[in-house]
């Protein structure tokens, strides 16, 4: 059991948790968004991040502080919390990102951890190597070995109460990501960021993000708090939570604002091109795009940054509500419609439906079939597995002594796409209470056919009579010989 992290609710692989940060004397609710604060440029004052936006934790860069003469001594003297004027939890990065950008940094893990402790960081980071995507395998392995030595140095360091990150690298090699996750979980470090995702996210390669994160998660233990380093665009947060990420950091709110970019849950707009603000945050209710364009650049940048933070925190709250209600995958499905690359990410996530199934609650309020992707949700696979284990109820056992009868309602398996057959007794149980459109698509019918196949496989000796409402034609065309199909409408259900 990880001492500092407690999971309260699950939906898919997403969860609501509590991360205890002892040196800050606070417990942070996850999923949590950590605004990135540049110690040299306070676009939005840290105290306002807490009081006006609800940030319980933020992240800043200890390497920048250490390399900037103007602030280093002041931060050492006052401590990070007083320097920033923030009394929540503060995570610090180590300079690894600078290492990735510039190829070299002049600090070791032991030195930067010592510095992070001296300035009063609450969650520190060793010097991991953010190996970019698509490098050759030899480089990915070599750099992963360096990252793993950094984790060993971090374990050996005297870090007191301060929590320490154990970054998971491995480039775009799922097996290396999984091995890196397993190695990290085997250390006594505390928080598990999946690293080097920024180049993938900047290139909109969300399917590759999903492959890397789901691989890392297979190696990590389910109770490890997972940070997705560099992820803060509101469009992708629901997907990231559904994969099982708990912490995010957003530099996007400030970086995008500097370029006049306006974030939404379905993408990025440009202030120059907006006629209206489709948002009700304080910025968007008090201003319109023409105002911001007419005013001075610094004010426009600050207001855009504030809007960007408002939509991002709003999305985090919406995601938490969805996890609590069991509607997270419906939310991911909606977000997937914002951009084809997000749809790729969602489809890649559903390639790992079995992995999501492990923590997906067995019962929720409702299953809404809102796209053909929903035919691949974990609930569908779980139902199929259940059909393969289900002891056929007595009244559905049709043998020679009890031949199928078209008028015997009880002797008929109900069929509901995308799930397939189920005994009538289960019709009021999740997920068979699903809301499914009348016009059933091919994906749902194919999934139902898979259910029929699994049922026939499990009951090799019995005749199976399916009843359907007239909408499962394609599904039922391909059923094995032993399976008869009755139209439930003829039976006057
Ligand atoms: N910030 C964004 N990506 C990374 C990463 O891979 N490692 C560290 N330390 N910081 C990051
Ligand atoms: Zn707004």
């Amino acid at each position: 059991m990880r001492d500092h992290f407690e999971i309260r609710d699950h939906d898919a692989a997403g969860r609501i948790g509590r991360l205890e940060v002892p040196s800050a004397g606070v417990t942070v609710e996850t999923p949590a968004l950590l605004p990135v604060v540049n110690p040299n440029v306070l676009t939005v004052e840290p105290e306002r991040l807490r009081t006006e936006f609800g940030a319980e934790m933020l992240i800043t860069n200890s390497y920048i502080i250490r390399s900037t003469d103007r602030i280093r001594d002041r931060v050492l003297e006052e401590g990070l919390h007083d320097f920033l004027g923030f009394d929540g939890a503060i995570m610090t990065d180590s300079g690894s990102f600078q290492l990735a950008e510039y190829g070299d940094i002049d600090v070791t893990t032991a030195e930067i951890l010592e510095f992070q402790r001296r300035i009063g960081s609450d969650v520190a980071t060793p010097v991991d190597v953010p190996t970019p995507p698509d490098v050759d395998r030899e480089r990915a392995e070599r750099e992963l070995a360096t990252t793993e030595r950094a984790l060993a140095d971090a374990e050996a360091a005297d870090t007191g109460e301060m929590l320490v990150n154990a970054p998971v690298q491995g480039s775009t090699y799922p097996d290396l990501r999984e091995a890196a996750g397993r190695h990290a979980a085997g250390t006594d470090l505390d928080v598990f960021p999946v690293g080097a995702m920024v180049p993938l996210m900047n290139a909109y390669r969300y399917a590759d993000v999903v492959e890397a994160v789901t691989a890392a998660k297979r190696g990590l233990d389910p109770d490890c708090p997972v940070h997705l380093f560099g992820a803060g665009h509101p469009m992708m947060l629901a997907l990231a939570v559904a994969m099982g990420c708990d912490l995010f950091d957003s530099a996007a709110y400030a970086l995008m604002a500097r370029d006049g970019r306006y974030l939404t849950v379905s993408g990025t707009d440009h202030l120059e091109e907006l006629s209206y603000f489709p948002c009700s945050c304080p910025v968007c209710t008090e201003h319109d795009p023409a105002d911001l364009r007419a005013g001075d650049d610094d004010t426009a940048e600050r207001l855009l940054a504030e809007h960007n933070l408002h939509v991002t925190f709003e999305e985090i709250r919406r995601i938490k509500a969805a996890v609590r209600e069991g509607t997270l995958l419906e939310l991911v499905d909606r977000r997937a419609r914002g951009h084809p690359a997000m749809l790729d990410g969602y489809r890649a996530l559903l390639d790992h439906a079995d992995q999501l199934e492990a923590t997906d609650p067995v019962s929720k309020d409702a299953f809404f079939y809102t796209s053909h992707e929903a035919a691949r949700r974990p609930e569908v696979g779980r139902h199929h597995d259940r059909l393969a284990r289900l002891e056929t109820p007595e009244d559905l056992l049709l043998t020679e002594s009890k031949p199928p009868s078209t008028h015997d309602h009880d002797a008929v398996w109900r069929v509901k796409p995308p799930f397939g057959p189920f005994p009538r007794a289960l019709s009021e149980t999740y997920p068979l209470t699903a809301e499914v459109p009348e016009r059933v698509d091919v994906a749902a019918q194919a999934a139902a056919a898979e259910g029929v196949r699994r049922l026939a496989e499990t009951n090799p000796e019995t005749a199976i009579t399916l009843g359907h409402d007239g909408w499962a034609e394609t599904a039922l065309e391909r059923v094995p010989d032993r399976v008869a199909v009755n139209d439930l409408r003829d039976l006057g259900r």
Side-chain angles (χ1 to χ4, degrees):
M1 183 67 197
R2 296 270 153 195
D3 291 344
H4 300 294
F5 191 54
E6 181 196 348
I7 296 172
R8 296 277 176 96
D9 287 277
H10 271 115
D11 193 13
R15 57 270 186 98
I16 293 178
R18 302 267 188 287
L19 179 70
E20 191 203 336
V21 187
S23 60
V26 298
T27 298
V28 173
E29 186 177 67
T30 63
L33 180 87
L34 284 54
V36 174
V37 173
N38 179 335
N40 288 308
V41 195
L42 303 180
T43 316
V44 180
E45 289 81 44
E47 180 58 14
R48 288 187 58 209
L49 291 173
R50 197 177 61 75
T51 55
E52 289 176 38
F53 298 88
E56 295 185 90
M57 187 165 180
L58 51 78
I59 178 167
T60 189
N61 194 313
S62 67
Y63 181 75
I64 295 179
I65 295 171
R66 186 172 172 277
S67 329
T68 311
D69 292 335
R70 197 168 52 73
I71 57 175
R72 184 184 47 242
D73 290 339
R74 216 185 116 195
V75 181
L76 277 168
E77 206 162 294
E78 291 177 10
L80 199 48
H81 292 79
D82 282 354
F83 173 75
L84 294 176
F86 184 79
D87 62 11
I90 303 179
M91 181 185 284
T92 45
D93 205 345
S94 59
S96 288
F97 199 61
Q98 285 69 21
L99 173 68
E101 292 279 292
Y102 310 117
D104 194 25
I105 55 169
D106 60 355
V107 72
T108 64
T109 286
E111 289 163 353
I112 200 70
L113 284 178
E114 159 76 14
F115 183 76
Q116 290 173 90
R117 187 166 176 203
R118 282 176 62 203
I119 62 179
S121 172
D122 300 307
V123 187
T125 309
V127 183
D128 57 309
V129 185
T131 309
D134 315 315
V135 302
D136 62 61
R137 188 171 174 101
E138 193 268 331
R139 176 174 168 194
E141 285 178 359
R142 178 166 31 89
E143 293 186 354
L144 180 55
T146 307
T147 293
E148 293 184 349
R149 279 195 299 279
L151 302 195
D153 292 345
E155 285 190 281
D158 179 12
T159 46
E161 274 198 314
M162 180 170 75
L163 301 183
V164 179
N165 278 323
V168 175
Q169 300 290 348
S171 184
T172 25
Y173 296 95
D175 63 318
L176 293 187
R177 289 279 181 184
E178 183 174 340
R182 190 161 295 117
H183 172 272
T187 67
D188 64 9
L189 304 180
D190 307 289
V191 178
F192 301 86
V194 180
M197 291 288 113
V198 173
L200 292 177
M201 294 187 292
N202 285 348
Y204 282 68
R205 289 172 58 181
Y206 292 111
D208 292 326
V209 171
V210 168
E211 293 308 332
V213 174
T214 51
K217 289 282 298 185
R218 287 193 293 278
L220 292 165
D221 297 329
D223 60 0
C224 290
V226 176
H227 181 156
L228 192 57
F229 255 149
H233 196 302
M235 166 172 84
M236 67 162 302
L237 293 175
L239 176 70
V241 170
M243 293 189 268
C245 299
D246 307 295
L247 302 162
F248 305 93
D249 59 277
S250 175
Y253 79 95
L255 295 177
M256 298 276 191
R258 205 163 300 156
D259 291 346
R261 288 182 196 276
Y262 179 94
L263 303 183
T264 76
V265 291
S266 49
T268 308
D269 293 326
H270 205 286
L271 179 61
E272 292 304 323
E273 285 156 18
L274 284 174
S275 306
Y276 303 95
F277 284 145
C279 170
S280 322
C281 83
V283 173
C284 298
T285 41
E286 281 164 32
H287 303 271
D288 63 32
D291 282 355
L292 255 64
R293 285 195 291 266
D296 72 89
D297 288 354
D298 286 352
T299 307
E301 180 183 329
R302 182 177 54 80
L303 291 173
L304 280 178
E306 291 183 8
H307 156 82
N308 290 346
L309 278 171
H310 279 297
V311 282
T312 312
F313 278 103
E314 174 181 314
E315 181 70 353
I316 291 279
R317 291 191 295 275
R318 186 180 289 116
I319 290 167
K320 287 185 198 171
V323 172
R324 181 79 33 95
E325 289 164 7
T327 57
L328 182 60
L329 289 176
E330 277 95 351
L331 179 60
V332 176
D333 195 311
R334 290 207 293 285
R335 294 301 174 248
R337 309 300 135 181
H339 195 289
M342 289 304 311
L343 184 54
D344 257 334
Y346 180 37
R347 289 177 178 169
L349 180 73
L350 293 170
D351 290 343
H352 299 287
D354 54 338
Q355 204 174 319
L356 309 184
E357 197 273 330
T359 48
D360 197 48
V362 284
S363 183
K364 308 180 196 178
D365 277 352
F367 178 112
F368 276 22
Y369 191 90
T370 49
S371 71
H372 70 74
E373 280 78 18
R376 297 172 61 216
R377 279 177 48 169
E379 293 94 332
V380 178
R382 177 185 288 149
H383 181 72
H384 292 168
D385 291 345
R386 188 175 181 188
L387 285 172
R389 288 192 315 267
L390 200 65
E391 283 216 14
T392 303
E394 190 65 31
D395 49 10
L396 290 170
L397 263 181
L398 299 176
T399 56
E400 285 199 15
S401 60
K402 191 189 175 200
S405 151
T406 27
H407 299 290
D408 181 356
H409 285 210
D410 289 337
V412 172
W413 290 83
R414 269 40 184 185
V415 178
K416 184 166 191 168
F419 305 101
F422 63 93
R424 190 164 60 169
L426 294 183
S427 60
E428 295 308 316
T429 63
Y430 188 85
L432 299 160
T433 46
E435 298 282 346
V436 180
E438 290 282 330
R439 290 160 185 75
V440 177
D441 60 48
V442 174
Q445 296 191 4
E450 171 62 14
V452 173
R453 198 187 62 72
R454 296 287 288 274
L455 179 66
E457 224 173 63
T458 323
N459 294 273
E461 306 301 329
T462 50
I464 295 167
T465 307
L466 304 175
H468 73 103
D469 291 329
W471 33 241
E473 301 304 339
T474 315
L476 302 179
E477 259 167 28
R478 293 180 262 164
V479 301
D481 288 347
R482 274 180 300 109
V483 180
V485 181
N486 286 334
D487 193 324
L488 282 181
R489 294 168 306 187
D490 295 344
L491 298 176
R493 72 181 164 132

